[in-house]
Amino acid sequence: MSAAHNTVERTSGEAERSANRVAPAPLLELVDGPDFHRVDVSALVIESVKLLEAKKRIRGNQVKLELPGEAVLARTGQRRTRQVLLLLLAHAADCAGEGEVRLTLAPPDDFGDEPPRFQVVTPDARLSERELRSVFLSPMLVGATHRRLARARELVESVGGSLTAERGAEAGLTVTVELPAPGMASW
Protein backbone atom coordinates (compact mmCIF):
# COMPACT_ATOMS: atom_id res chain seq x y z
CA MET A 1 0.00 0.00 0.00
CA SER A 2 1.42 3.40 -0.87
CA ALA A 3 1.82 6.13 1.68
CA ALA A 4 -0.54 9.10 1.50
CA HIS A 5 0.82 12.62 1.07
CA ASN A 6 0.22 15.11 3.85
CA THR A 7 0.26 18.17 1.59
CA VAL A 8 -1.98 19.45 -1.18
CA GLU A 9 -0.93 22.01 -3.76
CA ARG A 10 -3.23 24.99 -4.19
CA THR A 11 -4.95 25.19 -7.56
CA SER A 12 -7.15 28.27 -7.20
CA GLY A 13 -6.19 31.88 -7.93
CA GLU A 14 -4.48 31.88 -4.55
CA ALA A 15 -1.85 29.54 -5.91
CA GLU A 16 -0.68 32.20 -8.37
CA ARG A 17 -0.02 34.67 -5.54
CA SER A 18 1.85 32.22 -3.37
CA ALA A 19 3.99 30.27 -5.79
CA ASN A 20 5.35 26.96 -4.53
CA ARG A 21 3.53 27.19 -1.18
CA VAL A 22 1.77 24.09 0.04
CA ALA A 23 -0.92 23.82 2.66
CA PRO A 24 -1.20 20.89 5.07
CA ALA A 25 -4.05 18.52 4.34
CA PRO A 26 -5.87 16.51 6.99
CA LEU A 27 -4.26 13.17 7.75
CA LEU A 28 -5.99 10.16 6.25
CA GLU A 29 -7.00 7.33 8.52
CA LEU A 30 -6.11 3.77 7.60
CA VAL A 31 -9.15 1.60 7.00
CA ASP A 32 -8.46 -2.10 7.61
CA GLY A 33 -11.80 -3.57 6.64
CA PRO A 34 -15.37 -3.96 7.82
CA ASP A 35 -16.26 -2.93 11.33
CA PHE A 36 -16.89 -6.38 12.79
CA HIS A 37 -16.84 -6.30 16.55
CA ARG A 38 -19.09 -7.12 19.45
CA VAL A 39 -22.40 -5.38 19.02
CA ASP A 40 -25.21 -5.16 21.57
CA VAL A 41 -28.18 -6.32 19.51
CA SER A 42 -30.76 -5.51 22.22
CA ALA A 43 -29.73 -1.83 22.19
CA LEU A 44 -29.98 -1.80 18.38
CA VAL A 45 -33.48 -3.30 18.54
CA ILE A 46 -34.71 -0.54 20.84
CA GLU A 47 -32.98 2.13 18.75
CA SER A 48 -34.46 0.77 15.50
CA VAL A 49 -38.03 0.68 16.86
CA LYS A 50 -37.71 4.25 18.16
CA LEU A 51 -36.37 5.42 14.80
CA LEU A 52 -39.20 3.79 12.85
CA GLU A 53 -41.79 5.23 15.25
CA ALA A 54 -40.26 8.71 14.97
CA LYS A 55 -40.37 8.48 11.18
CA LYS A 56 -44.00 7.26 11.41
CA ARG A 57 -42.96 4.16 9.46
CA ILE A 58 -44.81 1.84 11.83
CA ARG A 59 -48.31 2.95 10.97
CA GLY A 60 -50.75 2.01 13.70
CA ASN A 61 -48.98 -1.28 14.37
CA GLN A 62 -48.18 -2.35 17.87
CA VAL A 63 -44.61 -3.63 18.17
CA LYS A 64 -44.11 -6.02 21.07
CA LEU A 65 -40.50 -6.55 22.12
CA GLU A 66 -39.37 -9.60 24.08
CA LEU A 67 -35.84 -8.75 25.15
CA PRO A 68 -33.65 -10.44 27.77
CA GLY A 69 -32.49 -8.44 30.78
CA GLU A 70 -28.81 -8.52 29.83
CA ALA A 71 -27.02 -7.33 26.71
CA VAL A 72 -27.08 -9.71 23.72
CA LEU A 73 -23.71 -9.57 22.00
CA ALA A 74 -23.01 -10.68 18.44
CA ARG A 75 -19.88 -10.55 16.28
CA THR A 76 -21.17 -8.35 13.50
CA GLY A 77 -21.16 -4.81 12.18
CA GLN A 78 -23.35 -2.29 13.99
CA ARG A 79 -24.48 -0.49 10.84
CA ARG A 80 -25.43 -3.66 8.96
CA THR A 81 -27.28 -5.11 11.93
CA ARG A 82 -29.24 -1.88 12.29
CA GLN A 83 -30.08 -1.98 8.57
CA VAL A 84 -31.34 -5.56 8.88
CA LEU A 85 -33.55 -4.65 11.83
CA LEU A 86 -34.97 -1.61 10.03
CA LEU A 87 -35.66 -3.61 6.86
CA LEU A 88 -37.37 -6.46 8.70
CA LEU A 89 -39.49 -4.21 10.92
CA ALA A 90 -40.54 -2.05 7.96
CA HIS A 91 -41.52 -5.16 5.99
CA ALA A 92 -43.46 -6.51 8.96
CA ALA A 93 -45.30 -3.19 9.36
CA ASP A 94 -46.25 -3.26 5.67
CA CYS A 95 -47.50 -6.87 5.83
CA ALA A 96 -49.26 -6.64 9.20
CA GLY A 97 -52.02 -4.29 8.20
CA GLU A 98 -53.36 -3.00 11.51
CA GLY A 99 -52.10 -6.05 13.41
CA GLU A 100 -49.20 -6.48 15.75
CA VAL A 101 -45.55 -7.28 15.16
CA ARG A 102 -43.51 -9.27 17.70
CA LEU A 103 -39.74 -9.19 17.92
CA THR A 104 -38.09 -11.79 20.15
CA LEU A 105 -34.37 -11.69 20.92
CA ALA A 106 -32.48 -14.68 22.32
CA PRO A 107 -28.89 -14.50 23.62
CA PRO A 108 -26.23 -17.05 22.65
CA ASP A 109 -25.58 -19.92 25.02
CA ASP A 110 -22.41 -19.96 27.12
CA PHE A 111 -20.78 -22.76 25.12
CA GLY A 112 -21.18 -21.28 21.65
CA ASP A 113 -23.57 -23.98 20.42
CA GLU A 114 -26.46 -21.56 19.86
CA PRO A 115 -25.75 -18.18 18.27
CA PRO A 116 -27.64 -14.99 19.15
CA ARG A 117 -30.89 -14.84 17.20
CA PHE A 118 -33.97 -12.76 16.82
CA GLN A 119 -37.36 -13.43 15.31
CA VAL A 120 -39.77 -11.00 13.72
CA VAL A 121 -43.27 -12.50 13.81
CA THR A 122 -46.14 -11.00 11.84
CA PRO A 123 -49.25 -13.07 12.66
CA ASP A 124 -51.53 -11.35 10.11
CA ALA A 125 -49.16 -11.42 7.13
CA ARG A 126 -50.37 -13.31 4.09
CA LEU A 127 -47.64 -14.62 1.80
CA SER A 128 -47.93 -17.18 -0.93
CA GLU A 129 -45.35 -19.93 -1.33
CA ARG A 130 -43.97 -18.15 -4.40
CA GLU A 131 -43.56 -14.89 -2.46
CA LEU A 132 -41.78 -16.74 0.32
CA ARG A 133 -39.33 -18.33 -2.12
CA SER A 134 -38.61 -14.91 -3.64
CA VAL A 135 -36.86 -13.90 -0.42
CA PHE A 136 -33.95 -16.10 -1.47
CA LEU A 137 -33.55 -14.43 -4.87
CA SER A 138 -31.59 -11.30 -5.68
CA PRO A 139 -33.32 -8.11 -4.43
CA MET A 140 -33.34 -6.88 -8.03
CA LEU A 141 -35.62 -9.78 -9.06
CA VAL A 142 -38.14 -9.38 -6.25
CA GLY A 143 -41.20 -7.16 -6.11
CA ALA A 144 -41.17 -3.95 -4.11
CA THR A 145 -42.90 -5.41 -1.03
CA HIS A 146 -40.53 -8.31 -0.49
CA ARG A 147 -37.36 -6.57 -1.66
CA ARG A 148 -36.71 -5.59 1.96
CA LEU A 149 -36.61 -9.26 3.01
CA ALA A 150 -34.24 -10.19 0.18
CA ARG A 151 -31.94 -7.26 1.00
CA ALA A 152 -31.99 -8.16 4.71
CA ARG A 153 -31.02 -11.74 3.79
CA GLU A 154 -28.07 -10.47 1.75
CA LEU A 155 -26.89 -8.25 4.61
CA VAL A 156 -27.18 -11.04 7.18
CA GLU A 157 -25.25 -13.46 4.97
CA SER A 158 -22.54 -10.84 4.35
CA VAL A 159 -21.70 -10.82 8.08
CA GLY A 160 -21.74 -14.62 8.39
CA GLY A 161 -25.27 -15.09 9.69
CA SER A 162 -28.37 -16.75 8.28
CA LEU A 163 -31.97 -15.71 7.64
CA THR A 164 -34.91 -18.08 7.34
CA ALA A 165 -38.53 -17.24 6.60
CA GLU A 166 -41.49 -19.50 7.40
CA ARG A 167 -45.14 -18.94 6.80
CA GLY A 168 -47.93 -20.19 8.99
CA ALA A 169 -50.56 -22.73 7.94
CA GLU A 170 -53.18 -20.08 7.10
CA ALA A 171 -51.53 -16.75 7.82
CA GLY A 172 -48.47 -15.34 9.46
CA LEU A 173 -44.79 -14.94 8.75
CA THR A 174 -41.83 -15.70 11.00
CA VAL A 175 -38.41 -14.41 10.00
CA THR A 176 -35.52 -15.80 12.05
CA VAL A 177 -32.05 -14.24 11.93
CA GLU A 178 -29.03 -15.98 13.44
CA LEU A 179 -25.99 -13.76 13.91
CA PRO A 180 -22.38 -14.88 14.46
CA ALA A 181 -21.72 -15.63 18.13
CA PRO A 182 -19.28 -13.32 19.95
CA GLY A 183 -17.28 -16.30 21.23
CA MET A 184 -17.61 -18.76 24.06
CA ALA A 185 -18.38 -16.88 27.27
CA SER A 186 -17.54 -19.75 29.62
CA TRP A 187 -13.94 -20.16 28.52
Side-chain angles (χ1 to χ4, degrees), residues 81-104:
T81 306
R82 184 183 299 117
Q83 284 177 318
V84 168
L85 286 164
L86 291 172
L87 287 167
L88 292 178
L89 288 169
H91 180 268
D94 289 346
C95 292
E98 294 295 318
E100 71 175 19
V101 175
R102 284 192 319 263
L103 192 142
T104 305

Side-chain angles (χ1 to χ4, degrees), residues 65 77 121 128 149:
L65 300 177
V121 180
S128 68
L149 280 179

Side-chain angles (χ1 to χ4, degrees), residues 48-64:
S48 298
V49 171
K50 285 181 182 178
L51 179 65
L52 289 172
E53 286 174 347
K55 293 286 187 179
K56 298 187 187 326
R57 186 63 184 84
I58 300 176
R59 300 175 290 262
N61 300 98
Q62 182 180 5
V63 178
K64 291 185 178 180

Side-chain angles (χ1 to χ4, degrees), residues 57-79:
R57 186 63 184 84
I58 300 176
R59 300 175 290 262
N61 300 98
Q62 182 180 5
V63 178
K64 291 185 178 180
L65 300 177
E66 296 174 18
L67 304 174
E70 72 274 356
V72 177
L73 299 178
R75 191 181 71 244
T76 182
Q78 183 173 359
R79 193 175 97 218

Side-chain angles (χ1 to χ4, degrees), residues 26 43 47 75 118 124:
E47 177 185 315
R75 191 181 71 244
F118 62 89
D124 295 334

Side-chain angles (χ1 to χ4, degrees), residues 21-171:
R21 263 184 45 191
V22 284
L27 294 176
L28 301 175
E29 293 182 23
L30 179 64
V31 178
D32 289 331
D35 58 338
F36 291 103
H37 53 282
R38 290 181 175 205
V39 173
D40 182 7
V41 181
S42 55
L44 287 178
V45 167
I46 294 168
E47 177 185 315
S48 298
V49 171
K50 285 181 182 178
L51 179 65
L52 289 172
E53 286 174 347
K55 293 286 187 179
K56 298 187 187 326
R57 186 63 184 84
I58 300 176
R59 300 175 290 262
N61 300 98
Q62 182 180 5
V63 178
K64 291 185 178 180
L65 300 177
E66 296 174 18
L67 304 174
E70 72 274 356
V72 177
L73 299 178
R75 191 181 71 244
T76 182
Q78 183 173 359
R79 193 175 97 218
R80 286 186 182 185
T81 306
R82 184 183 299 117
Q83 284 177 318
V84 168
L85 286 164
L86 291 172
L87 287 167
L88 292 178
L89 288 169
H91 180 268
D94 289 346
C95 292
E98 294 295 318
E100 71 175 19
V101 175
R102 284 192 319 263
L103 192 142
T104 305
L105 180 63
D109 68 341
D110 290 339
F111 299 103
D113 296 331
E114 295 292 327
R117 73 175 56 119
F118 62 89
Q119 285 186 331
V120 178
V121 180
T122 314
D124 295 334
R126 301 207 183 275
L127 257 66
S128 68
E129 190 64 36
R130 183 182 60 79
E131 289 174 321
L132 187 64
R133 284 192 311 264
S134 71
V135 172
F136 300 100
L137 298 173
S138 168
M140 300 307 291
L141 301 174
V142 179
T145 304
H146 304 301
R147 187 170 292 143
R148 289 182 198 92
L149 280 179
R151 181 66 183 133
R153 179 195 49 81
E154 280 187 343
L155 287 169
V156 168
E157 289 176 355
S158 74
V159 297
S162 65
L163 182 142
T164 58
E166 300 171 358
R167 44 175 260 197
E170 293 181 20

